[in-house]
Amino acid sequence: MATPTIPHITILGSLNTDLVAYVPHHPLPGETLTATSFLTSPGGKGSNQAVACAKLSRPRSLTSPSAHVSMVGAVGSDPNGTLLLTNLTSHGVDPSLVSTLPGTKTGIAMIVVEAETGQNRIIISGEANHQVDESFLTKGNWLEKTDMLIMQLEIPMGTVLKAVEEAKKRGVDVLLNPAPAKKLPGSVYEGLKHLVVNETEAAILGDVDEEELDTLEGLERVGEKFGGMGVENFIATLGGRGVYYLTKDGKKGLVEAERGVKVVDTTGAGDTFVGRYALDAAAARKEGKEFDIEGAVKKANKAAAVTVQREGAAASIPWRDEVE
Ligand code: ATP
């Protein structure tokens, strides 16, 4: 149950079943490869970020959460959908606003991970996620109870844009992680308290070459571009380089990635970052305190470094007592 003292974070987004193959190298055109191992696991950016918020809000015992976390989305009426709902519940996410759609399949992500580098390549088939339309915004009046809304772009764009608009009307903070990267209408940025992008997303949405992000000056220019359009807090995750942040009131910096990290699988690293960052941002808002963005970025950077050292998505995200 939500209490008046802890923030309520809602994630509106995708739920997918991840089919993950670990390979010696990414296949070339026409090449057939034998995987060294294979696993099926719960995934989808929405579901992963919900699980990240929940796991990082409490110890493994599921006691004393620092946030109430709920998920809004859709799965199909198949065994994969049931497993995804169980995955949410077992990590402390409230799944009551995830619809099970009859005659529809649950979303699938085919992920190929290169053993040497831990780099992934992903193909998504959205299925039930495609049916998350504007009607999902009014179910159970969830926006009225939400302090922070987190979204990605694995559900229809129209739903995301409408959600930003509705959240803004109600004074709900919005964190957008625009993945997979798609250009957005300029008006959306005014509704964003937090924009969290990786390098590809920063380049596509910011309309710059990725090389622009190689220097601090370039990162600042891109951050200022988003700030000029209305984003209050711009955060760029830079993989093994760490994280850059720039706020509208002039706070900025590069937090270097944790050292001595042996990358096994980067899947879920960005989602872990978003989850840990969001917990601090939502708590500051709920308590009416100034948001310590540097502190939030540092904690999130540390949590994401744990995720890259483990296989899978939801399973690789640490519980709070594993990082703090
Ligand atoms: P994904 O989509 O695979 O989840 P992403 O592209 O959204 O990831 P990245 O920028 O690759 O996100 O990584 C997110 C964060 O994970 C980084 O900002 C950093 O904090 C951490 N991280 C990633 N790679 C490394 C690494 N090699 N060493 C330490 N930390 C890392």
Side-chain angles (χ1 to χ4, degrees):
M1 271 302 288
T3 73
T5 50
I6 69 169
H8 194 136
I9 301 176
T10 304
I11 294 84
L12 170 64
S14 60
L15 299 106
N16 290 324
T17 300
D18 288 351
L19 310 177
V20 195
Y22 294 87
V23 294
H25 61 87
H26 285 298
L28 300 167
E31 183 180 8
T32 300
L33 269 182
T34 302
T36 47
S37 61
F38 175 83
L39 62 86
T40 305
S41 73
K45 288 224 152 261
S47 169
N48 289 344
Q49 292 180 15
V51 167
C53 284
K55 285 180 89 172
L56 287 158
S57 77
R58 71 190 87 203
R60 233 168 308 203
S61 55
L62 288 178
T63 55
S64 321
S66 63
H68 180 85
V69 182
S70 29
M71 171 95 210
V72 181
V75 292
S77 52
D78 52 21
N80 285 343
T82 310
L83 287 173
L84 280 159
L85 292 174
T86 308
N87 173 59
L88 293 178
T89 314
S90 66
H91 290 114
V93 178
D94 176 356
S96 53
L97 293 169
V98 177
S99 301
T100 300
L101 305 178
T104 305
K105 282 185 272 185
T106 297
I108 292 280
M110 287 160 275
I111 306 179
V112 181
V113 182
E114 188 177 63
E116 183 67 17
T117 58
Q119 291 298 324
N120 56 37
R121 292 190 183 171
I122 305 177
I123 298 169
I124 290 174
S125 186
E127 311 294 342
N129 297 304
H130 288 315
Q131 295 189 39
V132 179
D133 58 20
E134 289 180 20
S135 70
F136 281 71
L137 303 181
T138 47
K139 283 173 144 206
N141 276 335
W142 60 264
L143 257 172
E144 313 297 335
K145 299 168 206 152
T146 297
D147 297 299
M148 174 177 276
L149 167 62
I150 302 180
M151 291 183 289
Q152 317 74 27
L153 299 180
E154 288 182 353
I155 57 169
M157 177 71 92
T159 309
V160 173
L161 299 180
K162 184 74 179 167
V164 173
E165 205 181 299
E166 294 298 319
K168 193 175 166 201
K169 271 189 215 159
R170 292 168 174 79
V172 174
D173 285 354
V174 177
L175 184 160
L176 183 66
N177 174 223
K182 289 181 198 107
K183 279 231 168 24
L184 299 170
S187 57
V188 76
Y189 293 104
E190 277 175 23
L192 303 184
K193 178 101 176 181
H194 310 274
L195 176 68
V196 182
V197 287
N198 68 11
E199 290 163 281
T200 311
E201 292 142 17
I204 293 176
L205 274 76
D207 213 5
V208 295
D209 291 334
E210 274 202 37
E211 293 81 70
E212 178 80 356
L213 309 167
D214 289 345
T215 64
L216 273 182
E217 295 72 28
L219 284 162
E220 188 169 339
R221 273 194 296 276
V222 176
E224 277 173 352
K225 202 166 175 178
F226 288 113
M229 289 192 282
V231 172
E232 216 163 295
N233 299 301
F234 167 77
I235 295 99
T237 64
L238 308 168
R241 286 163 64 205
V243 188
Y244 177 81
Y245 66 92
L246 177 72
T247 71
K248 242 183 166 175
D249 56 7
K251 293 186 201 114
K252 60 184 173 188
L254 178 75
V255 172
E256 286 190 10
E258 295 284 301
R259 289 168 198 270
V261 168
K262 167 83 182 87
V263 179
V264 173
D265 179 359
T266 62
T267 312
D271 299 331
T272 304
F273 182 91
V274 166
R276 186 63 192 88
Y277 172 92
L279 286 168
D280 271 14
R285 185 219 138 97
K286 187 80 180 174
E287 291 162 24
K289 290 189 182 151
E290 196 192 339
F291 175 42
D292 170 16
I293 188 166
E294 185 185 5
V297 167
K298 282 183 172 164
K299 284 183 226 167
N301 183 52
K302 205 169 159 191
V306 174
T307 300
V308 302
Q309 297 178 69
R310 302 172 174 180
E311 285 187 355
S316 71
I317 298 166
W319 293 95
R320 193 175 191 118
D321 53 333
E322 293 181 272
V323 276
E324 282 162 40

